[in-house]
Amino acid sequence: MKTALLAEENSQEEPPGQASVGLKAALDTKALVALIFFEVAGGPYGAEPVVRKAGGAPLAILGFLLMPLVWSLPIAVMTAELCSNDPHIGGKIHFVHKAWGPWLGWQNGWFNAVSNVFDVATLPAMALGYAQSLGLVLSSEASWWAGLVIIGGAVCLNIIGIDLVGQVSYVFCCLVCVPPMFVAVLGAPELSLSSPVGEVQWLHFLTTLMWNTSGFDDAGATAAEVATPNHAYPRALGMSVALVTALYVFPLGVGASVEPDASLWHDGFLSKIGYELGGPMLGWSICAAGFLSSLAQLNALLCTSVREIVCMAGQHGQPVPQILGKLHHSQKTPHICTVLFGLALVLTLNRSFVDLIAATVLFDCVSFLIQFATWIRFRWDCQKNKPESFLAPLGFVSIVVWSMAPIGLCITVLVLCISRGGGALHGTLAVFLVGEFIYRVHGLRLQ
């Protein structure tokens, strides 16, 4: 009852779309596809450990084939429906706040913001790792400066405009898809999934698989800047799911046939498969594509992460300074929040946050549980007042049943992680307590 009253109060105080005023609707379908591609994965680069944790190719490939059906597609359809109906900046942050009120909206936004910082912070190091594979050896100090340049470049692109972010993402998407396609074509004659299955690290396998196929909900963060969202979102999300799945299944399936020893499959191993199939040029191309993919992921995730914070800055009852939602007078981008988020990333350079990075898996599971509850509530309301926006041709009961698979996955991972305890659980509790403290202090200041 209290939650319902909070949600009603919130919907009266924040008119739909208020925080989206002034933004440019500059993203077309192809730019949105590219942005989603890099928000989710950016190709098979970094997905190699899934093969090792699955004990071999058969279970890994089966996982990448099944996850779109039980995980990626439900998230994609949920995002397409909600964003088509209410194309508001922040996407999932806005929908949860609108449906359940300020407190749950803050917890969802706070957990996502912390998760985004530590997820995005890994990308400069990942890019430099691929650069090292190309022969560029840097000292610790030089690596810090290189990371600063990489982050600064992404910040500048994001301030210049969402249209440039989309265009760069599209070009990079085309470039990073080429080397894995060559691996799949050249190695197709050797394709075989008859290798034996070794020891399966179930928790790590599930979490890594989920992490590599998550991110479709981030597409909603730029909903206010998408031209014709009612048409663009269903198409872009559908194409993205197909593209991401194909770039996992075919290159990794072929690669595991060339080298069936699962213990060898670590980050960057795909470049060795490329070297074996196509010589030094293909191996080098995969490393170069991995480098470009890391840069493009940083560019795309900086864009979406900032817009989720901007959304909270415009919501009633949230302890986020409104100045973070201020737009640049000519570029119409949230320049202040972009610069501050970039500075937060700089502070993480050359630092290790193992426990918090592990905890982001728990953050995401909690967030997805809240999002699916929001989608089910939205569909329940649609039975009374059917919107003119995109709706999948499924009834309310079908949506609830379909949602049970991702909800079950999230609960399974949460139970396994909590039962094991350790740094991930401690990191999650610490972030929750800090977020709750901030929220309560802000509430006292408003009284």
Side-chain angles (χ1 to χ4, degrees):
M1 185 67 178
K2 181 180 178 182
T3 303
L5 290 174
L6 286 172
E8 182 179 356
E9 178 188 63
N10 178 61
S11 63
Q12 291 172 354
E13 292 176 349
E14 183 193 355
Q18 183 179 4
S20 302
V21 175
L23 295 166
K24 295 190 296 184
L27 292 175
D28 57 13
T29 301
K30 69 178 184 180
L32 187 57
V33 169
L35 269 177
I36 297 170
F37 174 71
F38 287 115
E39 288 160 5
V40 176
Y45 315 103
E48 296 96 336
V50 175
V51 177
R52 186 180 76 257
K53 292 169 184 178
L59 187 57
I61 301 306
L62 181 63
F64 278 123
L65 286 172
L66 290 180
M67 285 303 272
L69 298 176
V70 300
W71 180 250
S72 302
L73 272 177
I75 296 172
V77 173
M78 171 181 67
T79 303
E81 289 193 357
L82 293 173
C83 291
S84 298
N85 178 69
D86 186 6
H88 194 288
I89 189 172
K92 59 189 176 186
I93 307 302
H94 166 69
F95 304 135
V96 170
H97 185 272
K98 181 180 177 182
W100 307 110
W103 183 80
L104 200 55
W106 163 250
Q107 294 297 336
N108 180 58
W110 167 248
F111 271 94
N112 271 281
V114 175
S115 176
N116 289 340
V117 168
F118 292 104
D119 277 346
V120 179
T122 63
L123 295 171
M126 190 181 296
L128 293 176
Y130 280 107
Q132 186 173 358
S133 299
L134 294 169
L136 180 63
V137 180
L138 298 175
S139 65
S140 179
E141 183 179 355
S143 295
W144 188 92
W145 284 104
L148 178 64
V149 171
I150 289 172
I151 293 171
V155 167
C156 291
L157 280 176
N158 273 267
I159 292 176
I160 292 172
I162 187 70
D163 47 349
L164 182 59
V165 172
Q167 292 165 9
V168 169
S169 296
Y170 179 73
V171 172
F172 276 33
C173 181
C174 295
L175 292 174
V176 304
C177 287
V178 174
M181 291 171 59
F182 272 99
V183 169
V185 172
L186 293 175
E190 300 187 42
L191 183 61
S192 173
L193 297 180
S194 60
S195 58
V197 177
E199 181 183 358
V200 181
Q201 304 172 43
W202 284 107
L203 177 58
H204 292 152
F205 171 56
L206 280 176
T207 54
T208 307
L209 198 59
M210 290 171 68
W211 186 82
N212 277 284
T213 52
S214 296
F216 293 99
D217 55 321
D218 289 332
T222 53
E225 297 160 287
V226 174
T228 63
N230 195 31
H231 299 285
Y233 269 105
R235 296 174 183 175
L237 283 160
M239 287 188 282
S240 300
V241 171
L243 179 61
V244 168
T245 303
L247 285 177
Y248 279 143
V249 171
F250 294 112
L252 294 181
V254 165
S257 300
V258 174
E259 179 48 77
D261 186 354
S263 64
L264 299 176
W265 281 79
H266 295 269
D267 288 328
F269 189 73
L270 195 62
S271 63
K272 297 182 179 179
I273 299 297
Y275 185 92
E276 187 169 338
L277 289 173
M281 181 58 71
L282 184 55
W284 182 90
S285 298
I286 291 173
C287 290
F291 174 75
L292 293 179
S293 177
S294 300
L295 298 183
Q297 288 181 74
L298 174 61
N299 184 45
L301 290 172
L302 174 64
C303 176
T304 57
S305 301
V306 164
R307 278 150 181 79
E308 290 176 1
I309 297 173
V310 169
C311 178
M312 288 193 289
Q315 291 173 337
H316 174 75
Q318 303 291 41
V320 180
Q322 293 186 0
I323 193 172
L324 295 182
K326 184 177 177 62
L327 301 181
H328 191 277
H329 67 280
S330 59
Q331 304 306 122
K332 303 303 179 184
T333 52
H335 58 300
I336 296 176
C337 190
T338 302
V339 170
L340 291 178
F341 197 94
L343 290 175
L345 296 179
V346 170
L347 293 176
T348 68
L349 289 173
N350 290 359
R351 296 179 182 271
S352 177
F353 300 95
V354 176
D355 290 346
L356 283 172
I357 291 173
T360 60
V361 175
L362 298 182
F363 299 171
D364 292 341
C365 286
V366 173
S367 178
F368 277 121
L369 290 175
I370 301 171
Q371 289 180 63
F372 275 102
T374 304
W375 185 31
I376 291 171
R377 177 171 178 170
F378 167 74
R379 273 308 198 106
W380 175 262
D381 293 337
C382 287
Q383 294 181 114
K384 303 174 184 177
N385 300 301
K386 188 174 182 180
E388 297 181 0
S389 57
F390 167 77
L391 284 180
L394 298 170
F396 175 74
V397 175
S398 299
I399 291 297
V400 172
V401 172
W402 200 19
S403 299
M404 289 302 103
I407 288 174
L409 273 174
C410 288
I411 293 174
T412 300
V413 170
L414 284 172
V415 170
L416 289 173
C417 289
I418 291 173
S419 64
R420 292 194 175 196
L425 178 59
H426 297 155
T428 301
L429 291 175
V431 170
F432 170 76
L433 291 174
V434 171
E436 185 67 9
F437 176 76
I438 294 172
Y439 184 80
R440 296 302 172 187
V441 170
H442 179 71
L444 291 174
R445 291 179 59 190
L446 292 178
Q447 292 179 359

